[in-house]
Amino acid sequence: MFLTISTSGDAAHPATDLGYLLHKHPDKAQRFSTSYGTAHVFYPEADEQRCTAALLLDIDPVALVRRGKGKGRGGAPDTALAQYVNDRPYAASSLLAVALSSVFSSAMRGVCNARPDLPERPRPLRVEVPALPARGGPDLVGRLFAPLGWAVTAEPVALDTAFPEWGDSRYVRLILESDALTLAAALRHLYVLLPVLDDAKHYWVSPDEVDKLLRAGEGWLAGHPEQQLITTRYLSRRWSLTRQATEQLELLRLAEADDSEVEEIDNAVEEDTETESKPTPLSVQRREAILAALRDSGAARVLDLGCGQGQLVQALLKDARFTEIVGLDVSTRALTIAGRRLKLDRIGERQASRVKLVQGSLAYTDNRLKGYDAAVLSEVIEHLDLPRLPALEYAVFGHARPRTVVVTTPNVEYNVRWETLPAGQVRHGDHRFEWTREEFRAWATAVAERHGYEVGFSPVGPEDPEVGPPTQLAQFVIKRKEATAA
């Protein structure tokens, strides 16, 4: 992992002033231990006209894996083949950003006791990164660096020069040039934007990352046109942290526009009265979306197919419009737990008459399921082996034929947003598959066409602009002529 910073000069302002700014003598090669390997700083060239400082980060893959255990996707990103086989030792990433802040900490803060006049003086700078992951391509690299005063060259790296037809990889060779920036500003830009382009971090993103982002982004992030993307990616899409950072950046922007202090603007509520509401769990959002779909359908008699431990049945029982509720599951143990949850042995006779728990398999037709207004398959289909899915399809849509069917399933594209989910793994050990949005829509559309239904789709949970929502919902409604015939 390699990065160079170059500058030019003359007799009045020699290029070797770079050594003072970086606090690293041009005549020495130095090494620094990090948590994941060794950082080397040396100067390939150093004279009055031109000086180049190089940072070489030698990653220890074993240390990276050991220290990353238990940290999910952030602990070992891009490890589809194995946790030891990835691009971390070779491509600039959050590892290099952390090394920059550690090795050049004084330079990043703009501190130079030997020459206090140097840090505030803009100077010609050229930064080169031979291999930089760029999720978003060269265009995104330009959108991130150009507004900060850099002339940007982002050359795509071919997947294999021997096979040009394979196209480009997600890596670029980056060259940044500017005559108007200080070295401290340049280092802060790199510290924030390298992991943003890589879109992965090798460590757990804790709340103190917000403070790090605001410190490094002081003076430029609040007004950056890609502020939202930078904030979201830097904080690994942890929504509560992103919201906190966005609010702080907006206060900074308003304070700058009003030529006042942040404290003068952020004084509407006393600090001790401020409370932050906890995000609603995805399971609760999913149940609310299902209930809304059932209410819109006008259903009164509802099947919960694959009811598990009865959470949805319990929610349905609280709404008087649902006059008959049947929970079906193949697991007798799950049904026993559901019965305890619903307190079937203690609730009143009227309530008990509305609900029934039955054991059965969706791989077979079941006459007990015919004649209902609606059926729900909530997080069920992904637990079946794909060859058995047609049997479920016929049992529900072909044989039972409720007027409305609501199906929810995970969106596998969203899995990259879970900090605790290792790359390439599904959300639950019993999931036989997880579908993309396109795959789910294709399956649902084909099912609807085969069995005389119309189908619509809606997201469940926060919808990410790049990968969609965490859960996808399809609502099937039987066509009118089919409903009449039934």
Side-chain angles (χ1 to χ4, degrees):
M1 198 178 296
F2 192 65
L3 175 147
T4 61
I5 303 172
S6 303
T7 187
S8 57
D10 51 31
H13 302 289
T16 49
D17 284 348
L18 183 63
Y20 286 101
L21 288 167
L22 293 175
H23 296 256
K24 305 293 181 287
H25 199 287
D27 293 338
K28 297 180 180 179
Q30 298 174 264
R31 56 187 294 170
F32 305 86
S33 295
T34 72
S35 300
Y36 301 93
T38 305
H40 301 267
V41 178
F42 55 94
Y43 289 76
E45 56 182 345
D47 56 39
E48 189 177 89
Q49 284 73 41
R50 186 169 176 82
C51 184
T52 298
L55 174 62
L56 172 65
L57 186 57
D58 185 13
I59 298 296
D60 180 355
V62 176
L64 180 61
V65 171
R66 286 175 177 169
R67 294 181 65 88
K69 283 188 181 295
K71 297 180 183 177
R73 178 175 174 269
D78 295 335
T79 53
L81 294 177
Q83 54 188 354
Y84 292 97
V85 183
N86 53 65
D87 66 354
R88 299 300 92 179
Y90 316 107
S93 65
S94 59
L95 291 162
L96 186 59
V98 171
L100 280 172
S101 68
S102 175
V103 175
F104 300 138
S105 59
S106 296
M108 190 176 292
R109 297 196 310 272
V111 175
C112 182
N113 294 329
R115 296 280 301 277
D117 60 310
L118 289 181
E120 297 301 319
R121 184 187 304 161
R123 61 184 311 114
L125 292 172
R126 177 185 173 95
V127 176
E128 293 190 43
V129 183
L132 173 67
R135 296 182 188 270
D139 176 67
L140 180 59
V141 179
R143 283 162 35 210
L144 293 180
F145 282 102
L148 301 175
W150 292 103
V152 182
T153 302
E155 302 174 354
V157 177
L159 278 172
D160 193 322
T161 55
F163 300 94
E165 65 273 15
W166 289 0
D168 296 327
S169 69
R170 67 183 180 95
Y171 301 89
V172 300
R173 175 174 177 259
L174 176 65
I175 301 175
L176 302 173
E177 296 178 290
S178 175
D179 293 327
L181 293 171
T182 64
L183 178 65
L187 292 173
R188 290 196 296 267
H189 296 166
L190 293 168
Y191 174 75
V192 172
L193 298 181
L194 289 182
V196 167
L197 284 166
D198 187 28
D199 200 13
K201 283 198 171 184
H202 68 280
Y203 57 87
W204 175 253
V205 177
S206 56
D208 64 354
E209 290 294 301
V210 174
D211 294 330
K212 294 179 185 178
L213 175 62
L214 295 177
R215 284 198 301 270
E218 184 178 357
W220 62 271
L221 182 54
H224 197 291
E226 298 292 341
Q227 179 213 107
Q228 188 61 44
L229 181 144
I230 293 169
T231 304
T232 301
R233 284 194 177 189
Y234 182 88
L235 297 170
S236 296
R237 293 174 174 80
R238 293 194 63 187
W239 304 115
S240 60
L241 300 184
T242 301
R243 183 174 63 251
Q244 179 183 342
T246 301
E247 291 171 352
Q248 289 295 317
L249 288 167
E250 179 61 14
L251 286 172
L252 289 170
R253 188 189 67 80
L254 292 172
E256 184 177 350
D258 199 37
D259 194 23
S260 58
E261 297 296 326
V262 171
E263 292 76 10
E264 297 177 25
I265 296 176
D266 189 23
N267 61 0
V269 181
E270 292 295 331
E271 188 171 342
D272 58 358
T273 65
E274 186 176 337
T275 59
E276 182 178 350
S277 59
K278 294 183 178 180
T280 304
L282 180 59
S283 59
V284 175
Q285 296 183 60
R286 186 164 51 238
R287 282 198 296 275
E288 291 175 348
I290 292 169
L291 290 169
L294 292 174
R295 290 167 184 146
D296 289 344
S297 73
R301 304 174 67 237
V302 179
L303 299 166
D304 182 8
L305 304 177
C307 65
Q309 298 180 12
Q311 291 93 333
L312 178 60
V313 173
Q314 185 178 42
L316 290 166
L317 197 57
K318 293 177 180 178
D319 192 328
R321 79 186 73 196
F322 302 116
T323 58
E324 184 178 348
I325 306 154
V326 175
L328 177 140
D329 203 280
V330 71
S331 168
T332 54
R333 181 174 181 272
L335 293 172
T336 300
I337 296 173
R340 292 175 187 156
R341 177 188 298 275
L342 298 170
K343 300 181 176 64
L344 293 182
D345 58 340
R346 283 178 279 172
I347 62 175
E349 184 177 344
R350 184 176 178 181
Q351 281 286 78
S353 67
R354 293 173 56 212
V355 62
K356 180 167 57 174
L357 299 178
V358 297
Q359 195 272 338
S361 170
L362 294 174
Y364 306 97
T365 57
D366 190 335
N367 288 331
R368 295 176 298 174
L369 307 182
K370 299 187 74 171
Y372 283 83
D373 300 328
V376 177
L377 292 161
S378 178
E379 311 299 287
V380 170
I381 60 173
E382 64 273 9
H383 290 272
L384 275 71
D385 292 318
L386 282 171
R388 302 185 69 183
L389 201 54
L392 175 145
E393 174 192 328
Y394 178 74
V396 175
F397 295 92
H399 184 76
R401 295 193 65 74
R403 291 204 308 268
T404 298
V405 181
V406 180
V407 180
T408 71
T409 191
N411 168 22
V412 71
E413 298 169 76
Y414 194 89
N415 286 359
V416 297
R417 303 301 187 243
W418 299 114
E419 295 92 346
T420 57
L421 183 64
Q425 293 192 16
V426 293
R427 298 184 198 177
H428 189 281
D430 190 50
H431 286 186
R432 304 301 199 267
F433 64 88
E434 288 178 357
W435 275 335
T436 65
R437 289 168 290 175
E438 182 178 352
E439 289 169 332
F440 180 56
R441 285 173 178 265
W443 173 80
T445 301
V447 169
E449 290 176 354
R450 281 193 291 268
H451 297 286
Y453 283 80
E454 298 173 341
V455 63
F457 302 91
S458 58
V460 179
E463 189 162 14
D464 186 282
E466 295 179 2
V467 297
T471 297
Q472 41 195 344
L473 182 149
Q475 183 171 356
F476 300 80
V477 178
I478 200 167
K479 293 179 180 178
R480 290 184 179 179
K481 62 178 182 179
E482 299 287 346
T484 303

